[in-house]
Amino acid sequence: MQAADNDKILISVKEACELTGLSEKTMRTLMKNNTFMVRIGRRTLIDKKKFQKWIDRQS
């Protein structure tokens, strides 16, 4: 199952929090101010590639 997770294009807010160690509140604030958020119906997801690029630019 772990290998399949690496192939995901979109990840949940919870998954992004687990990957980064950030709180959900902090993650949602970052999502409002950046372009890596994706809304599909009622779900809010994160584009994994855009999120990784954003992280790379921060360091």
Side-chain angles (χ1 to χ4, degrees):
M1 184 90 157
Q2 188 69 6
D5 288 344
N6 292 335
D7 295 337
K8 286 184 177 181
I9 296 170
L10 301 174
I11 59 173
S12 69
V13 175
K14 183 177 178 181
E15 289 172 318
C17 291
E18 290 172 1
L19 287 171
T20 61
L22 297 173
S23 70
E24 186 172 335
K25 182 177 179 181
T26 300
M27 184 60 66
R28 290 190 183 277
T29 300
L30 289 172
M31 290 167 57
K32 287 180 185 176
N33 299 325
N34 295 286
T35 61
F36 48 80
M37 181 177 80
V38 178
R39 298 262 323 167
I40 299 177
R42 299 168 113 187
R43 295 190 68 193
T44 302
L45 301 167
I46 296 172
D47 182 309
K48 194 172 179 181
K49 285 184 181 180
K50 286 183 180 180
F51 184 51
Q52 184 63 53
K53 286 180 184 178
W54 179 83
I55 291 171
D56 292 342
R57 287 192 308 264
Q58 302 311 303
S59 51

